[in-house]
Amino acid sequence: MEEVKAYIESGILELYVLGQLNAQESSEVEAMANKHPEVSAELAAIELALEAYALENAIAPSNALEDKILAQFTTTAPVTTSAPEPKVVPLYEGQKDGTVRTLRYALIACSILLVLSLGALFSAHKDLSQANEQIATLSLDKEKFASTVSKLEFDKSGMENRIAMTETDEWATVKLAGVKDSPKAKMLVYWNKKDKSILINYVAMDLPKTDQAHEYQLWALVDGKPVSLGVFSSTDNAKEAVKQMETIEKAQAFAVTIEPMGGSQNPTMEKMVVMGGVTI
């Protein structure tokens, strides 16, 4: 019902009655009228209102304009020397001039009404366009607000996890620092001492940006050999603030490299961004 109400209030029915729509738009109005009795009733009401307005606001033309219009309803034949002068016969013989005059007033009033209506509809269309622009702006602002709220919730979840990790002896925190090509990079890896599970916290990392064809891969150094603990995306694409990686029984160090999507069997050493030794 709200959709039908909005359609009626859009001003398109008035444009239809005045014949200002193209064939496709007119077909859409007729389809809506056939589907919704409210639309059909509104069309009928608009037509009656326009007719009543035209009659109530009829403006008498000036004498000169009236004579010019009435002259078009009489015909005369050219005068020749070989034929008698023709008789001028009124178009509506037997009727008073008032009948023709009333009809002319109505036609002139309709023309004026059409001009006024077009102006009003143009103004309404302009106002409607401005309203649509405001709605689009509000929608964009709503999306930005929702994105901000989502980011705050993401950061809140990550901070709560960091606090929880510092308040228990069950988890060991391994700090990974940037290497030569990425000195400002940093990251924390949480290693459970009991079940050997690995967690990473997006809020506790600052890694170089990757392109759409690459992602991060976490490695553990076990007896001098790298073991993959899985891949993870950038912070912008992360769905949760905390992500669980593959478990590892023991490790001497952890490192992160940038690899093609899906990861690599062996780390690309020149793409290493952070590394940290295990002290537990």
Side-chain angles (χ1 to χ4, degrees):
M1 294 300 295
E2 291 296 330
E3 179 183 356
V4 174
K5 181 180 178 181
Y7 186 81
I8 292 175
E9 294 176 352
S10 68
I12 193 171
L13 300 184
E14 287 81 356
L15 291 174
Y16 174 82
V17 173
L18 292 171
Q20 299 300 308
L21 301 180
N22 57 37
Q24 180 179 353
E25 293 170 335
S26 296
S27 298
E28 293 176 355
V29 172
E30 293 166 0
M32 287 292 290
N34 291 332
K35 184 177 179 182
H36 301 285
E38 302 93 327
V39 177
S40 179
E42 184 67 18
L43 279 175
I46 293 171
E47 292 173 347
L48 290 175
L50 289 178
E51 180 179 355
Y53 184 88
L55 294 176
E56 291 177 3
N57 294 274
I59 300 174
S62 64
N63 293 332
L65 179 59
E66 180 181 351
D67 293 340
K68 182 177 181 181
I69 293 175
L70 293 177
Q72 297 178 2
F73 288 85
T74 60
T75 58
T76 58
V79 178
T80 62
T81 56
S82 60
E85 183 178 351
K87 179 181 179 180
V88 177
V89 180
L91 181 61
Y92 298 102
E93 187 173 1
Q95 294 184 359
K96 296 182 179 180
D97 293 341
T99 303
V100 177
R101 185 177 299 122
T102 300
L103 179 59
R104 300 282 66 77
Y105 291 167
L107 290 175
I108 295 172
C110 287
S111 300
I112 296 174
L113 175 62
L114 177 59
V115 174
L116 294 176
S117 299
L118 289 176
L121 288 173
F122 176 78
S123 177
H125 180 71
K126 182 179 179 181
D127 292 340
L128 181 61
S129 298
Q130 292 176 347
N132 288 336
E133 291 177 359
Q134 292 176 354
I135 291 173
T137 301
L138 290 175
S139 178
L140 181 60
D141 291 341
K142 180 180 178 181
E143 292 178 1
K144 290 181 179 179
F145 178 75
S147 177
T148 300
V149 171
S150 178
K151 180 64 168 59
L152 290 174
E153 292 178 348
F154 183 90
D155 292 344
K156 178 176 177 290
S157 176
M159 291 302 298
E160 290 176 346
N161 175 260
R162 291 189 66 176
I163 294 173
M165 291 300 184
T166 60
E167 294 179 347
T168 178
D169 295 332
E170 184 178 348
W171 291 86
T173 302
V174 181
K175 295 182 179 181
L176 279 61
V179 296
K180 180 180 178 181
D181 293 334
S182 54
K184 295 183 179 180
K186 59 183 178 179
M187 177 178 171
L188 296 180
V189 173
Y190 301 107
W191 190 12
N192 192 288
K193 298 177 182 178
K194 294 182 178 180
D195 60 18
K196 307 302 181 181
S197 60
I198 299 290
L199 293 179
I200 61 173
N201 189 328
Y202 280 99
V203 179
M205 70 171 65
D206 184 4
L207 302 179
K209 297 292 184 181
T210 61
D211 56 32
Q212 295 181 351
H214 294 82
E215 58 186 343
Y216 306 114
Q217 189 165 358
L218 179 64
W219 304 87
L221 186 64
V222 181
D223 296 331
K225 296 181 179 180
V227 177
S228 175
L229 300 180
V231 297
F232 59 99
S233 60
S234 64
T235 304
D236 295 337
N237 298 325
K239 297 181 179 180
E240 301 292 340
V242 178
K243 178 178 176 64
Q244 184 168 352
M245 308 300 289
E246 300 291 337
T247 60
I248 191 74
E249 287 293 328
K250 62 178 181 177
Q252 290 78 51
F254 293 100
V256 173
T257 60
I258 297 178
E259 305 292 345
M261 296 295 292
S264 302
Q265 292 185 349
N266 297 298
T268 305
M269 300 306 295
E270 60 271 18
K271 293 293 184 178
M272 182 182 296
V273 292
V274 289
M275 183 175 182
V278 178
T279 59
I280 59 173

